[in-house]
Amino acid sequence: MLAIISLASISVLPLVSGHAAFWHPSMWGFNVTQQTFSYDNRPVAPIKNMNFTEWWFHNHLAHPPNPGNIFELPAGQPATAQIACNKGATDFFASSEGGDIRDKNNLDNVCPGATSQEYHTNGLDDLEGCAMAIAYKNDVNQVQPEDFTVFSVNQTCVWTRFTDFQVPARMPPCPEGGCVCAFFWIHSPLSGGEENYMNGFKCNVTGSTSTFPVAQSKLPRRCGADPTNGKMQAAPANCTYGAKTPFYWFNLERNNMFEGTYSPPVYNDIYNFIDGPQDDIFVDSYLSIPDPAPNASMPILADVSSTKNPVPATNNSSSSSTGSGSGSSSALAKTCGSATALQPNSSSGGLGKREVKDVSSGSGSWGGLILRMSKRSRKLDMHKRHRLWHMW
Ligand SMILES: *[C@@H]1O[C@H](CO)[C@@H](O)[C@H](O)[C@H]1NC(C)=O
Ligand SMILES: *[C@@H]1O[C@H](CO)[C@@H](O)[C@H](O)[C@H]1NC(C)=O
Ligand SMILES: *[C@@H]1O[C@H](CO)[C@@H](O)[C@H](O)[C@H]1NC(C)=O
Ligand SMILES: *[C@@H]1O[C@H](CO)[C@@H](O)[C@H](O)[C@H]1NC(C)=O
Ligand SMILES: *[C@@H]1O[C@H](CO)[C@@H](O)[C@H](O)[C@H]1NC(C)=O
Ligand SMILES: *[C@@H]1O[C@H](CO)[C@@H](O)[C@H](O)[C@H]1NC(C)=O
Ligand SMILES: *[C@@H]1O[C@H](CO)[C@@H](O)[C@H](O)[C@H]1NC(C)=O
Ligand SMILES: *[C@@H]1O[C@H](CO)[C@@H](O)[C@H](O)[C@H]1NC(C)=O
Ligand SMILES: *[C@@H]1O[C@H](CO)[C@@H](O)[C@H](O)[C@H]1NC(C)=O
């Protein structure tokens, strides 16, 4: 229906040629237009087959935000992003070359006058998720790809202009001047070619209640069920747990993912990116994280609710699993007395991206559909450690 209504108006809209970007005055490249570079380097332009200078921060480092423009990340609350195929479709239309093109009948429309294929999805069941990552550095020139940690994922992205990213409650404060963040997205292979999306922005964590730092991020691993590619069962012990790096894929330099065209790395359960806040990214989040492998033992979550003082980060699984806590961490050790390493339960049902059928015949609003979908996804409950992988 949306498609039919849209066709009539598609020709009158300026530059609405699809794709999507995060839009906010705190971003690098906020005012970059089709003419700014010798090639189309608008924030919505997809990134692929580029050298590092060309893809890193979308080659927008020379187009910084104005001083004082910062995207706030309220600890424990949602941060609402605006994602659209054109700045004119956001609240920041005033500085858009084509003016206000927001859809008055649906302010959540990502790309007014276009079908969802224009932002690379065939529909709700084809969404692969997008992510926000943070680097605890105040100088963007010091930020390296490995400095980013994904702190929030929205698996039903890109679908609505206003997209909530839940900020983990335990995010520590940023250094003076704030942090550097970026929006990342890799879309479904069914709706367009291999592409990365990256938009960097200045960000700041507000309302921090914890000072435990974010752990050094590690490469995500493709551990979830992936029926499309013939993998019916998830391999939970094969996942990366804790802080994970964003995907850098299909460029000429500094890739960290080497998946093929039909199995793009995606921000959802396939790579253990839980929908919502990534609550386990801190140095004290786990008592142990064994090296992942399909037959490895499972990590042991710490009970962070009882910790007041920093616990030294450890990667020594033998010391943690025997509960060698001392001082401030003894409470942890006690509460995990019965926590023998979890074994992967292959009968618990492989869980890849959400499997939602019949969305077109579903009743209710987009929001309702999204709510239902999210409930299919795994959530991490830091107080129920046996649910590290199992879904509810
Ligand atoms: C990256 O590619 C651009 C465009 O081809 C080229 O001008 C630039 O010199 C390259 N930079 C590096 C560091 O290779
Ligand atoms: C973007 O353009 C608007 C309108 O010209 C201007 O007010 C604003 O300062 C610009 N922002 C940046 C970051 O260049
Ligand atoms: C994803 O964004 C949608 C739209 O803002 C929101 O309804 C949903 O709750 C978000 N999902 C999560 C897990 O935050
Ligand atoms: C970041 O937030 C903290 C806590 O609210 C505040 O003290 C600090 O001034 C903010 N920094 C910037 C650059 O806005
Ligand atoms: C384990 O993860 C690796 C790295 O992502 C992946 O190549 C491999 O297919 C995964 N194996 C299983 C059984 O999940
Ligand atoms: C896991 O599998 C590898 C390769 O098959 C094997 O070498 C290793 O001993 C196994 N480890 C455990 C703990 O079973
Ligand atoms: C983890 O173990 C390796 C090898 O034993 C060591 O080099 C590294 O410093 C350890 N990291 C932490 C955080 O303890
Ligand atoms: C890991 O912890 C155990 C038990 O405390 C200790 O015996 C062992 O030496 C530690 N290994 C490393 C590499 O630190
Ligand atoms: C594995 O999961 C299934 C389904 O949730 C459950 O019925 C079964 O008891 C579990 N088995 C083990 C060993 O945890």
Side-chain angles (χ1 to χ4, degrees), residues 104-188:
K104 303 299 177 294
N105 297 317
N106 177 11
L107 289 174
D108 251 339
N109 196 334
V110 170
C111 198
T115 66
S116 69
Q117 277 86 5
E118 292 297 327
Y119 48 95
H120 301 293
T121 177
N122 292 318
L124 269 168
D125 56 352
D126 195 30
L127 300 174
E128 297 286 6
C130 54
M132 276 192 186
I134 191 167
Y136 274 79
K137 291 188 171 175
N138 53 15
D139 177 2
V140 72
N141 297 307
Q142 300 302 315
V143 177
Q144 295 296 312
E146 299 74 28
D147 293 330
F148 275 124
T149 295
V150 172
F151 67 90
S152 190
V153 161
N154 191 309
Q155 292 186 352
T156 47
C157 173
V158 171
W159 189 250
T160 51
R161 167 164 63 114
F162 294 103
T163 301
D164 282 350
F165 289 88
Q166 310 293 329
V167 181
R170 302 183 71 243
M171 291 288 275
C174 288
E176 201 179 332
C179 290
V180 172
C181 286
F183 165 81
F184 290 97
W185 173 44
I186 293 176
H187 61 70
S188 154

Side-chain angles (χ1 to χ4, degrees), residues 63-78:
H63 302 268
N66 288 329
N69 282 328
I70 203 147
F71 188 82
E72 289 204 344
L73 303 172
Q77 292 172 50

Side-chain angles (χ1 to χ4, degrees), residues 282-335:
F282 308 101
V283 292
D284 62 332
S285 294
Y286 287 90
L287 295 180
S288 75
I289 306 184
D291 285 341
N295 62 353
S297 48
M298 288 289 277
I300 301 173
L301 268 174
D303 180 1
V304 292
S305 60
S306 59
T307 57
K308 292 275 187 282
N309 305 310
V311 175
T314 178
N315 57 9
N316 184 340
S317 57
S318 62
S319 75
S320 337
S321 60
T322 54
S324 70
S326 66
S328 66
S329 65
S330 58
L332 289 179
K334 213 181 299 160
T335 55

Side-chain angles (χ1 to χ4, degrees), residues 20-71:
F22 164 91
W23 293 99
H24 192 266
S26 60
M27 72 195 283
W28 275 266
F30 184 62
N31 285 340
V32 166
T33 67
Q34 201 149 19
Q35 286 74 43
T36 311
F37 285 73
S38 61
Y39 58 103
D40 180 5
N41 197 32
R42 290 171 301 149
V44 300
I47 296 168
K48 70 186 285 189
N49 295 334
M50 290 177 168
N51 63 33
F52 184 65
T53 316
E54 289 173 298
W55 74 255
W56 182 235
F57 278 78
H58 218 296
N59 205 359
H60 288 162
L61 287 177
H63 302 268
N66 288 329
N69 282 328
I70 203 147
F71 188 82

Side-chain angles (χ1 to χ4, degrees), residues 90-112:
T90 74
D91 292 350
F92 314 111
F93 61 81
S95 59
S96 175
E97 62 277 36
D100 186 1
I101 63 160
R102 290 174 303 168
D103 180 348
K104 303 299 177 294
N105 297 317
N106 177 11
L107 289 174
D108 251 339
N109 196 334
V110 170
C111 198

Side-chain angles (χ1 to χ4, degrees), residues 183-199:
F183 165 81
F184 290 97
W185 173 44
I186 293 176
H187 61 70
S188 154
L190 302 178
S191 206
E194 314 79 8
E195 296 173 340
N196 296 267
Y197 289 81
M198 174 182 192
N199 304 113

